[in-house]
């Protein structure tokens, strides 16, 4: 047990943009409860410089939270060539949705593709499971 | 047995050239479909069982219990519909009327606004077949069909040799993409990717409008005005242009006015159409059906003296404001697709799930009734993303009831 566990991890403000993914969708058609569906849905793709700044490496676990929810996700580096500091990407699914606010300003349309979160490194937690989400 | 071709219900492209290999009344092979379509048509690995309170029961018992829940509720909601045939959707609306219930579908937080604008003739549209044969300028806006509708580009929008586009994508078609990221679809568009910040779609629409009027287009994100003028030039010259509007665009528009202005301007010099990138295979079908019956595409309440409609009648606001006290979900998984805080709220009221497969919502439902997978285990009709009606054929036999039949049986019990 290191001293580090008593320190709070620094938090970074990010916008998560969700998108579709044919492989996750295919896995979902087969089963919502399959490993593949969970694996693909619980990854957050970060800008490479943001990762450096946060001290996060590909494969590390991170905590994303806001007033709506809190999930532990696996961080991966963005597959995009161009940099996109401050923006992260997730495949649309229950993990990303856990962070979407219920308040829609009366429009009835939640901000699924524009989710503001605080991100920090996870300390010894596991990726949030589907069971924990429901 | 019919040898096909069959229609894939994996997404609202409703590809109609599918053949299958069968063995012992099971689909063991699916030809020509994309990955997702194959997975859909082969059927899921976790079919739903018929249950009440988690215990396996016969269909009659489950139907009776569903009827009881709906009857006893003061404010029942019927929701889903995107994966049901037109016939089932009609029945569902009938049931909602009879119950004085709330009814909504996934378009409520998806492509509803665009479908509504098209049905009210505020945006010119066209069919995918016209796109295949005539389109020379194709704009993907906030859309990534390579993932959402994998055969979109090969069946209709980019690669085909169309009647008037015999030289295909190499010479006859220009694809442009406007998005917040370099998606896989962007790879096809080469240097015609216009990357904009999250939520900047209305601003970019206005910049384009300026460029189309030969004014210098300025943006707060400093996109090179020359590039925007170049784009305006491509759009102006279109013989048959089409905008495929994805959720990236729809979610960024608080109002459709900037889009209306842009479409009007484009149509002063060129011919431009818009097709919404509808996800679920028959979401648009529900919107058409309810529109015909009530003048509204979604978010309707039948419990008042007159039909009520509006954002306060949307599935999201109904759950958020604790209005509904029971819900019947057909072919949808709101627990997976709604914001987490709303999913939690929804799980507190009695739910009835009708679906071929187990999903998050079915796991916490009081009643689950397995239904036939449309386009595989039952036929029917559906409306493609471009508004064209498509006939679905049954491929294999099943003893599971269709959505339509289940709803009809529930109505008999009430
Ligand atoms: S593109 Fe859509 S309709 Fe066509 S095969 Fe794939 S999932 Fe099915």
């Amino acid at each position: 047990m290191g001293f580090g566990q008593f320190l709070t991890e620094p938090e970074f403000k990010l916008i998560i943009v969700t998108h579709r993914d044919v492989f996750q969708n295919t896995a979902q058609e087969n089963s919502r409860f399959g490993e593949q569906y969970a694996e693909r849905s619980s990854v957050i793709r970060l800008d490479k410089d943001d990762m450096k700044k946060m001290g996060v490496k590909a494969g590390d676990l991170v905590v994303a939270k806001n007033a709506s929810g809190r999930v532990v996700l696996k961080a991966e580096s963005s597959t995009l060539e161009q940099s996109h500091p401050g923006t992260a990407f997730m495949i649309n699914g229950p993990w990303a949705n856990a962070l979407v606010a219920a308040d829609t300003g009366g429009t009835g349309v939640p901000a699924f593709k524009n989710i503001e979160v605080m991100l920090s490194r996870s300390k010894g937690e596991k990726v949030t499971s589907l069971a924990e989400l429901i | 047995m019919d040898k096909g071709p069959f229609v894939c219900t994996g997404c609202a492209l409703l590809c109609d050239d599918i053949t299958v290999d069968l063995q012992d009344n099971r689909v063991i092979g699916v030809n020509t479909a994309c990955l997702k379509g194959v997975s859909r048509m082969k059927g899921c690995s976790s079919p739903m069982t018929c249950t009440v309170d988690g215990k396996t029961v016969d269909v009659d018992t489950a139907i009776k219990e569903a009827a009881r829940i709906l009857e006893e509720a003061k404010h029942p909601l019927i929701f889903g519909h995107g994966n049901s045939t037109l016939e089932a959707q009609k029945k569902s609306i009938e049931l909602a009327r009879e119950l004085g219930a709330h009814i909504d579908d996934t378009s409520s937080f998806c492509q509803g606004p665009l479908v509504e604008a098209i049905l009210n003739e505020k945006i010119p549209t066209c069919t995918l077949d016209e796109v295949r044969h005539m389109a020379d300028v194709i704009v993907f806006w906030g859309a990534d069909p390579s993932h959402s509708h994998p055969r979109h580009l090969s069946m209709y929008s980019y690669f085909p040799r169309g009647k008037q586009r015999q030289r295909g994508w190499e010479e006859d078609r220009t694809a442009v993409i406007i998005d917040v990221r370099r998606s896989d679809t962007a790879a096809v568009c080469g240097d015609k990717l216009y990357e904009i910040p999250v939520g900047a779609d209305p601003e970019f629409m206005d910049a384009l409008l300026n460029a189309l009027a030969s004014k210098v287009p300025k943006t707060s994100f400093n996109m090179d005005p020359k590039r925007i003028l170049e784009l305006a030039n491509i759009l102006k010259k279109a013989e048959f242009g089409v905008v495929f509007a994805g959720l990236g665009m729809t979610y960024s528009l608080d109002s459709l006015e900037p889009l209306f202005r842009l479409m009007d301007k484009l149509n002063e010099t060129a011919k431009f159409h818009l097709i919404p990138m509808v996800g679920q295979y028959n979401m648009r079908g529900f919107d058409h059906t309810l529109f015909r019956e009530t003048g509204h595409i979604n978010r309707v309440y039948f419990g008042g003296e007159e039909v009520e409609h509006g954002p306060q009648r949307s599935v999201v606001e109904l759950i958020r404001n604790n209005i509904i006290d029971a819900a019947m979900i057909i072919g949808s998984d709101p627990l997976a697709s709604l914001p987490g805080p709303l999913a939690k709220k929804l799980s507190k009221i009695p739910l009835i799930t009708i679906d071929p497969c187990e999903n998050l919502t079915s796991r916490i439902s009081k009643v689950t009734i397995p239904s036939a997978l449309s386009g595989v285990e039952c036929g029917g009709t559906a409306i493609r993303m471009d508004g064209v009606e498509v006939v679905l054929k049954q491929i294999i036999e099943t003893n599971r009831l269709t959505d339509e039949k289940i709803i009809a049986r529930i109505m008999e019990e009430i």
Side-chain angles (χ1 to χ4, degrees), chain B residues 297-330:
Chain B
I297 57 153
N298 55 21
R299 304 173 165 187
V300 157
Y301 177 51
F302 285 117
E305 269 169 30
E306 280 170 25
V307 172
E308 290 174 31
H309 162 80
Q312 73 285 3
R313 301 291 175 204
S314 68
V315 57
V316 163
E317 295 301 311
L318 289 173
I319 298 173
R320 197 169 83 87
N321 298 320
N322 307 311
I323 308 274
I324 49 166
D325 54 356
M328 181 159 94
I329 317 289
I330 309 163

Side-chain angles (χ1 to χ4, degrees), chain B residues 7-18 32-38 40-41 148-152 155:
Chain B
V7 173
C8 172
T9 53
C11 75
L13 211 55
L14 290 171
C15 295
D16 56 5
D17 59 346
I18 313 293
T32 53
C34 71
L35 206 58
K36 167 162 124 169
V38 171
R40 161 70 56 118
M41 296 192 77
S148 59
H149 303 75
R151 296 182 72 210
H152 196 277
M155 284 278 279

Side-chain angles (χ1 to χ4, degrees), chain A residues 22 26 29-30 32 82 97 104, chain B residues 40 45 147 195 317 336 340:
Chain A
V22 65
T26 301
E29 288 295 339
N30 183 256
R32 280 266 190 201
Q82 81 281 21
N97 286 343
T104 65
Chain B
R40 161 70 56 118
S45 64
H147 281 278
E195 250 189 286
E317 295 301 311

Side-chain angles (χ1 to χ4, degrees), chain A residues 15-123:
Chain A
I15 299 286
I16 297 176
V17 176
T18 58
H19 60 90
R20 317 272 143 177
D21 176 85
V22 65
F23 303 103
Q24 179 240 27
N25 229 288
T26 301
Q28 176 192 321
E29 288 295 339
N30 183 256
S31 172
R32 280 266 190 201
F33 303 97
E35 249 169 58
Q36 229 202 333
Y37 177 70
E39 265 167 28
R40 294 195 84 94
S41 311
S42 58
V43 166
I44 182 164
R45 293 201 178 268
L46 299 164
D47 176 74
K48 292 178 188 79
D49 290 330
D50 281 353
M51 288 176 81
K52 263 189 221 139
K53 206 166 73 189
M54 295 177 204
V56 170
K57 291 189 299 301
D60 284 358
L61 301 192
V62 290
V63 179
K65 64 175 181 191
N66 58 21
S68 304
R70 178 186 189 277
V71 282
V72 182
L73 305 166
K74 187 160 132 193
E76 293 286 0
S77 142
S78 171
T79 50
L80 304 178
E81 299 155 29
Q82 81 281 21
S83 68
H84 48 88
T87 305
F89 295 100
M90 273 184 83
I91 296 171
N92 167 276
W95 282 263
N97 286 343
L99 301 164
V100 178
D103 190 352
T104 65
T107 64
V109 185
F112 289 111
K113 281 179 174 279
N114 191 350
I115 314 166
E116 201 178 300
V117 298
M118 298 306 288
L119 201 81
S120 58
R121 291 193 306 188
S122 146
K123 289 201 279 186

